[in-house]
Structure formats: structure tokens, C-alpha cells
Amino acid sequence: MTTMTLAKALNAGLRKAMEADDKVVIMGEDVGTLGGVFRITDGLQKDFGDARVIDTPLAESGIVGTAVGLAMRGYRPVVEIQFDGFVYPAYDQIVCQVAKLHFRSLGRVRIPMVIRIPFGGGIGAVEHHSESPEAQFVHTPGLKVVACSNPADGYAMIQQAIHADDPVVFLEPKRLYHSAKADVDESAPAAPLWQSRVVRPGSDATLVAYGPTVSTCLDAATVAAEEGRSLEVIDLRTLSPLDLVPVHESVRRTGRLVVVHEAHVTLGLGAEIAARVTEECFHSLEAPVLRVGGFDTPYPPARIEEAFLPDLDRVLDAVDRTFGF
Amino acid sequence: MTDPVFGPAPERVPDPELVQLLTPEGERVHHPGFDVDFTADELCGFYRDMVLVRRLDIEATALQRHGELGLWAQLLGQEAAQIGAGRALAPQDFVFPTYREHGVAWCRGVDPVRLLALFRGVDQGSWDPAEHNFGLYTIVIGAQTLHATGYAMGVQRDGLVGTGEPERDTAVVAHFGDGASSQGDVNEAFVFAASFNAPVVFFCQNNQWAISEPFERQSRIPLYRRAHGFGFPGIRVDGNDVLATYAVTKAALQRAREGQGPILIEAYTYRMGAHTTTDDPTRYRLSDDVEHWKLKDPIARLEVYLRRNGLADDAFLADVAAQADALGERMRRECHALPDPSPHDLWDLVHAEKTAELAAQQAEYDAHAASFEEVSS
Ligand SMILES: Cc1ncc(C[n+]2csc(CCOP(=O)(O)OP(=O)(O)O)c2C)c(N)n1
Ligand SMILES: [Mg+2]
């Protein structure tokens, strides 16, 4: 058992995966000597060499496109996109190639690639450094998408994603990288990657979140408890495929659901979850499924990002509204 | 005198590939292609610009350290490249910057406080591009090179190339860095500019670093030679020499305005500071390297030249220093006074024609915000 930050946990997970399989290679901008702008790959080039931890030329399409070729040659590339807003130059490679090669090749070609993306806001950054592009990838058949929310999951999930034979977009809540420390039990058996998890049981209403908003929802549940309301919090962990079994089970008990993410509300994950929960739990619902998310505007300048991001008040406000129906 | 055994002393004789008009020691040298004379006023103007822009940069860095800015991208060491490129412009020329072109912004009359506002997180660029003929800062590296090319194609279609009238003929400048040169967008911009013979000058500040990656990661050949493969000329200029940068850019712009098409200028310089205020360059580069480039400082060499030739006296230098102090003081004062934006305005900025959907979301936000005001009052 070691206490570590999310950044350290991801670093340890990457190291473990590289030790376990010498086909694992890391590629990206500044991932070598610098160890990445967030230090997630800190020390890896020193220990595994520059053939396995590759500082690439500055071109995201080039990074992902060459990673496709490496994957076809039997490697397991772990690609770092420096910030969420810089994944778009690689979007074509991800959507048209990475996502479709297995399908197009009648299953003969596998692309066991992990595309790591630090995502979400709250770090006071300039434009393009605080975005939540997950829905674009969830909407793309052929990709799997996961988001970690804490050090223990970061450590385990990155190894599982690397081990998976399908391409995985791996989202890391950058605002939590160096904040919350938690115990990571390196020898504990990991939960399956494709499962969501109840992180706080409750009985009055259900909150569903992933990545950075899990901690927001846990805080909201703590405050609600003081006011006598019991909220269940579910961390999705996997966004594609979605594992809504625990969500359905929860909503059947609580009858109320609020989905919370930083991404724009329109056609965000909340929309899909609301649709599926309505189909599965229609007769249990006491209120419409509500969504709390980023506004349908571009991400705002840093001085007012707190207004854009779902916070305790907006989450509790939505919970209140579900009781108003 | 050239040493017969060891060859010429490197600092004295410029790199044959490098256009230089003022050596790091402040000696005026001549280049056959750029036989330009400068007036005392022009030289003193360059000096003033560079000193003021360096102060702007230092002041902004200090403001970031004091928590007044979220971030700052320093230009330290690149003053000559930017002032040379900026002062070579005609008023009608249009510039597409990266996020580090504070010196060019200065030449285009953009108030430094507008730059502070962006890095403070108050806005994402509040100057009017059309008013200054200076586009907004672009953070996605390389994207603006395509915009510059398209803008130049527009200029071409407007018949403002090759008219022979100096007030009308127009060129466009695309700024980018050595790292950005690897992006697909930049290479596509080269292809488009060449294919349409667009009046665009690609101005690459090769400051040797893309965050932690040295230039060698991006290219095996000097950058300016890339242009040849795309079918247009490229040239390397000493980016720490404001005279050479000015002369080369001026000639390139003129060529573009005349309708001779694109050109690539590689301004060979060095990023003396960190990539941005969040970066720690000691993790990836040697201080020896930085010390070596300190000897090539763009401002020091011009000061030596001005003094040695009696073009600037103590009174002039003191006056410039006083202007720098005043600029610094004004930046601090006005930075503190920058108002935060109102979240209410976000929905007004999304489209030219606001949709009913967004208006509804805005009203919902306003009601939510008002509920807090009621509670707190
Ligand atoms: C498409 C894209 N990828 C990554 C980044 C992150 N990033 C910002 S600046 C930078 C380095 C750019 O280096 P260079 O082009 O040499 O310009 P310099 O910063 O040296 O002026 C990187 C990787 C970005 N802004 N845009
Ligand atoms: Mg550079």
C-alpha cells in the first residue's frame, strides 16, 4: 500500500505496464526528458530508453498515425496528447483509422493503442487547455473510452487499458493530478475495466459522474447528508462501453437521477444516459433525469470558469429540482 | 585575418547561410543581398522598441509570479526577430501571430494591457484584428499559417497584389515556431501558398526549442531549406539582429506584394526564458547553452553600435529607460484594474445570431446566479 497522487499513480501504472511487456511504447510531445508537462511519464525515458519513450515531432496526427503503424507491427503504443484541445489535429486518424481498422480488416488488424488525454478544466488555463471531448469519442464506434477519477483507479485502469486489444481513449482529470492523494494497493486485484462503481451508497437520489466530477458529487452527497438527504454516487469509469447496470439498479430504488459532467450538456454523456435510463427504468422514475454540465458555449476565459463548471450548488440545485416534480 | 589552421573565428565571420548585418559584438557588416542603410532615427527606434518590449515581457512575467496572470509566454531573447519583422510591415499588411508575438503586437499598436487580459484569463483576445491588421493569438500551433494563406488568397482576389502602388499592394505574415513546423497545417499552408502563389511571408522564429524538444527533433535540415521542396525560396536570418531581420522581412514583403509569391524566413534565435511561466527549462537544457546565447543578446549589440558611433547619448538611453519604467508602471496599474468578464455575456458571444436555445440557457443561468444574490443580500 502506497499513498500517492493521481499523477504518481499513473506514472507507476505505466512503469508496471512497460516492465510487463516490452512491446509497450510511449509516444508524445515532451514525454521524454521532461516527463510530460504534467510529469506523468517522469523518469520513464531514463529507465526504458528513448526507443520506448519517444519524444515525437510536434504533430498530433503524426503521433497517432505512426502509432497505428507501430500497432500493426505488434507494438502497444501509449500515446499522450498534451492537452484535450490538441487532440483535434489527430481526430481524423482516430476516427477514420484507429476506430475502424478492426472492422475494415474483417477483424484481422488489431490496434491495441491507448490515447491518454488530460481533460477537464479548473486549472486556470488559457484556451484549449480545459476541454471535455469525451462525447466525440463515445460517439465513434470502434473506440473504447474510459475516465479515471482517483489514484487507485488510475494505477489499475491504465494497465488494463494497455492490456486491452482494442483502442482505448483514456481520459485523465488533470485538475486532480497533483491534488488528492490516496492509498493505492499495488497488489490488490483490480476491478474489471468495463464496470462502473457505486462510490457512495444512498437511498434518496442517484448522482452519476466520471473523472473530475466524481469528487464534486461526493462533496454534494456529504452536504446533502447534513441536510438529511441520502445521495448515491456512481462513478461510471467506462464511458464506452457504458455500464449502466448499477445505475439502473440504483434508479429503481431512488427514482431520481442527476448526471454530472463538465462537457457541454447538449449531446453529452448525460443525454445518452437519460435516454437509456428512461427506457429501462421508466416506471421507477419519480422525476425526469436531469443533467448538470458545461454550458453550450465554448469554454470560457479562466477568470469565470468556476461559473461554467458544475459545482456543489448546481448539483444540489438539480437534486432539489428532482424532488420538485 | 583568418587563422590558416583553425579557420575563421566563428563570431567574427557570419555563418555563410545566415544573413547578418550587425554582429553580436555590435559591428556593422555588409551583406550583398541586403545592402541597406539605416538612419539614426530608425536605429534609435529599433532600440527603443526592443527595450520597451523586453520591459513589457519582464513586467508580465512578474505579474504572473504575483498571481495576477494565469500564465505568460515570455519572448525574452526574441525581441530583434519580432521588432524587425513588425517594423518591416506596411500599414495595410496583415499579421497572423502565435501566442508569443508580443513584440509584433507592439509594432501593430496593440496595447500591452490587452495581452495581459488574455493571459490573466479575462478574455481570449480583445483587440479588433481589423483595426490593427493583427489577428488574434492562436494557441493551437500552426493553425494560423493556413489562415494567413487564405487571407493572402483574398488579398490576391481583391487585386491588391502587383498594382505597383505602395499604399495598396498588400502582403500577409504567418508567424510560427520551429516546433509548429512539423504540424500538418503548416505544411499544407506551404502547399496552398505555393500552388496559388499567395502573397504570404512565412516567418518562423526558430528559437531552438519546442518546450523541451530541441530543434533537431523537428528537422534534419535547416528549416529555411524546407521551402525549396515546396517550390518557393527560403532564407535564414540572424533573428537576434534587428537590422538583418528588418531588411530581410522588408524585402520578402515587397516581393510578395509585387506578386512573386510566398517565401519562408527562418529567424534564427533563442528562447532565453522558459517556454511559459509553468515550465522549468533546467529539466532539459544546459545553462551553458543559455550563457552562450547571452553573448548574442539582440539589445546589447545594438546599444554598443549606437554608442560607438555616437548615435545615442546618455540622455537618449536614460529617456528610453524612463519610458520603460513608465510602461511597467502603467501595465501593473491597468492589469490590477482589469474587470472580470460577466458569465452572462458568454451566450451572447457564441453566434452572430443568438439562438433561442442559448437565450433560454442564459436566462436559466441568470436566475440561478440571482438566487445566490438574494441569499447573500
Ligand atoms: C496542436 C497543439 N499541440 C500541442 C500544443 C502544446 N504546445 C504549446 S506550445 C508548444 C511548443 C511549440 O513550439 P514552437 O512551435 O517551437 O514555438 P515556441 O513555443 O518555441 O515559440 C506545444 C507543444 C499546442 N499548443 N497545440
Ligand atoms: Mg520554438
Side-chain angles (χ1 to χ4, degrees):
Chain A
M1 189 85 81
T2 320
T3 305
M4 52 178 109
T5 59
L6 177 60
K8 281 271 183 302
L10 288 164
N11 179 265
L14 286 168
R15 175 177 290 279
K16 195 92 186 294
M18 294 192 78
E19 283 165 357
D21 183 352
D22 62 12
K23 292 294 184 191
V24 175
V25 293
I26 290 177
M27 307 171 70
E29 297 164 1
D30 306 291
V31 296
T33 323
L34 185 64
V37 294
F38 291 109
R39 311 289 185 262
I40 307 303
T41 57
D42 193 23
L44 298 180
Q45 189 182 63
K46 192 166 126 278
D47 295 341
F48 295 98
D50 61 7
R52 292 188 65 196
V53 180
I54 307 169
D55 264 339
T56 64
L58 260 62
E60 289 75 9
S61 178
I63 297 169
V64 174
T66 54
V68 168
L70 276 157
M72 290 176 67
R73 184 68 197 178
Y75 287 86
R76 304 184 90 84
V78 182
V79 160
E80 176 173 301
I81 299 292
Q82 200 161 79
F83 283 89
D84 33 59
F86 307 138
V87 70
Y88 299 107
Y91 194 61
D92 168 62
Q93 285 289 341
I94 296 173
V95 172
C96 299
Q97 306 301 330
V98 173
K100 290 180 177 163
L101 269 161
H102 186 268
F103 190 78
R104 183 202 299 154
S105 67
L106 304 176
R108 291 191 184 99
V109 177
R110 290 184 177 181
I111 306 294
M113 183 191 303
V114 175
I115 301 173
R116 293 183 37 240
I117 308 180
F119 84 127
I123 62 161
V126 292
E127 215 184 342
H128 315 294
H129 291 71
S130 308
E131 302 185 358
S132 300
E134 59 271 18
Q136 328 228 21
F137 300 114
V138 173
H139 192 66
T140 304
L143 298 177
K144 290 178 176 170
V145 184
V146 302
C148 58
S149 68
N150 61 73
D153 271 357
Y155 176 76
M157 287 169 70
I158 189 64
Q159 295 179 64
Q160 293 168 314
I162 292 170
H163 196 68
D165 275 339
D166 288 307
V168 179
V169 174
F170 193 92
L171 299 160
E172 303 169 1
K174 67 170 86 78
R175 125 158 83 100
L176 303 180
Y177 270 150
H178 301 286
S179 57
K181 278 193 184 184
D183 286 340
V184 176
D185 183 352
E186 291 99 329
S187 55
L193 182 57
W194 315 114
Q195 277 184 13
S196 55
R197 178 194 294 146
V198 176
V199 286
R200 179 183 170 121
S203 51
D204 295 335
T206 308
L207 299 178
V208 164
Y210 54 88
T213 53
V214 173
S215 54
T216 315
C217 288
L218 286 170
D219 291 346
T222 305
V223 172
E226 287 159 15
E227 292 164 3
R229 201 171 262 168
S230 162
L231 304 183
E232 179 146 303
V233 181
I234 297 176
D235 179 355
L236 282 181
R237 300 170 80 248
T238 170
L239 310 185
S240 179
L242 271 172
D243 171 28
L244 295 187
V245 173
V247 178
H248 296 154
E249 192 279 321
S250 178
V251 171
R252 285 191 190 105
R253 281 186 287 109
T254 65
R256 294 179 166 84
L257 172 63
V258 176
V259 186
V260 185
H261 50 60
E262 291 188 10
H264 313 290
V265 170
T266 296
L267 280 181
L269 264 285
E272 180 64 28
I273 293 165
R276 292 203 203 177
V277 168
T278 308
E279 287 164 19
E280 285 295 319
C281 312
F282 187 68
H283 294 289
S284 312
L285 281 170
E286 303 284 346
V289 178
L290 294 186
R291 294 166 292 164
V292 178
F295 307 133
D296 289 325
T297 69
Y299 198 87
R303 299 284 287 197
I304 50 169
E305 68 180 331
E306 295 307 331
F308 179 93
L309 293 169
D311 61 3
L312 207 74
D313 290 317
R314 281 171 66 203
V315 173
L316 291 175
D317 190 52
V319 171
D320 281 346
R321 279 186 289 135
T322 68
F323 281 92
F325 283 94
Chain B
M1 268 279 287
T2 307
D3 187 307
V5 180
F6 296 105
E11 277 93 348
R12 300 300 298 263
V13 179
D15 176 341
E17 288 182 344
L18 186 81
V19 179
Q20 189 179 69
L21 299 179
L22 189 64
T23 68
E25 293 73 32
E27 265 177 68
R28 186 78 164 81
V29 286
H30 290 274
H31 187 285
F34 299 94
D35 192 15
V36 190
D37 283 328
F38 294 93
T39 66
D41 272 357
E42 280 176 320
L43 295 170
C44 289
F46 291 148
Y47 177 80
R48 181 188 304 110
D49 282 337
M50 290 198 291
V51 169
L52 292 183
V53 160
R54 179 168 291 183
R55 173 58 71 92
L56 180 170
D57 191 60
I58 289 169
E59 209 60 58
T61 306
L63 282 165
Q64 195 281 336
R65 298 270 180 257
H66 286 105
E68 295 295 332
L69 305 183
L71 183 82
W72 180 252
Q74 295 156 280
L75 65 61
L76 190 68
Q78 298 176 224
E79 296 87 352
Q82 297 197 11
I83 295 302
R87 287 299 175 208
L89 297 161
Q92 69 272 22
D93 294 337
F94 199 101
V95 177
F96 285 84
T98 70
Y99 41 80
R100 207 188 288 286
E101 262 66 76
H102 320 315
V104 188
W106 171 263
C107 295
R108 294 267 94 182
V110 174
D111 187 334
V113 178
R114 303 277 38 102
L115 308 179
L116 297 181
L118 189 159
F119 286 98
R120 187 177 170 85
V122 164
D123 56 51
Q124 294 168 341
S126 54
W127 59 93
D128 180 356
E131 183 190 332
H132 298 278
N133 280 346
F134 185 77
L136 292 183
Y137 275 8
T138 303
I139 290 173
V140 179
I141 58 175
Q144 74 283 0
T145 58
L146 281 165
H147 309 161
T149 304
Y151 193 97
M153 289 164 65
V155 165
Q156 202 175 32
R157 274 148 191 75
D158 290 343
L160 294 175
V161 177
T163 69
E165 293 175 49
E167 266 87 65
R168 297 187 69 213
D169 284 344
T170 303
V172 182
V173 181
H175 284 276
F176 62 105
D178 45 292
S181 73
S182 295
Q183 286 286 355
D185 278 6
V186 173
N187 290 273
E188 290 172 26
F190 289 173
V191 170
F192 274 65
S195 184
F196 298 107
N197 205 41
V200 56
V201 172
F202 294 106
F203 192 95
C204 179
Q205 284 166 74
N206 180 355
N207 63 7
Q208 314 299 324
W209 293 94
I211 309 186
S212 73
E213 296 190 6
F215 171 64
E216 296 70 46
R217 176 56 37 147
Q218 318 297 336
S219 183
R220 279 167 66 156
I221 56 162
L223 243 171
Y224 75 95
R225 286 199 210 149
R226 288 244 182 109
H228 303 162
F230 288 91
F232 53 89
I235 187 165
R236 178 183 272 185
V237 61
D238 181 349
N240 284 17
D241 172 358
V242 69
L243 307 189
T245 310
Y246 174 87
V248 167
T249 311
K250 195 153 178 108
L253 287 165
Q254 186 52 27
R255 199 179 159 280
R257 290 190 207 104
E258 285 167 5
Q260 296 184 63
I263 190 164
L264 169 60
I265 299 173
E266 176 189 6
Y268 202 73
T269 180
Y270 196 82
R271 195 196 77 209
M272 295 299 289
H275 170 68
T276 65
T277 43
T278 57
D279 179 39
D280 173 11
T282 61
R283 287 179 68 102
Y284 54 79
R285 73 182 184 188
L286 299 171
S287 56
D288 275 4
D289 210 18
V290 181
E291 291 305 316
H292 169 74
W293 277 89
K294 259 190 196 156
L295 303 174
K296 303 185 183 200
D297 185 76
I299 300 182
R301 70 172 81 177
L302 185 57
E303 186 172 330
V304 167
Y305 180 75
L306 291 175
R307 278 187 182 277
R308 200 183 285 148
N309 292 280
L311 297 169
D313 54 15
D314 287 344
F316 168 77
L317 298 172
D319 181 48
V320 172
Q323 286 179 35
D325 289 343
L327 174 66
E329 195 277 323
R330 180 171 76 84
M331 284 173 64
R332 286 193 295 277
R333 184 164 29 86
E334 295 189 19
C335 180
H336 293 137
L338 283 169
D340 278 347
S342 159
H344 169 87
D345 296 340
L346 292 176
W347 289 269
D348 294 338
L349 297 170
V350 181
H351 301 292
E353 265 180 76
K354 185 157 82 182
T355 64
E357 251 180 340
L358 289 184
Q361 207 174 76
Q362 185 175 37
E364 205 182 305
Y365 170 80
D366 288 345
H368 177 74
S371 71
F372 286 96
E373 268 153 38
E374 279 157 30
V375 171
S376 60
S377 61

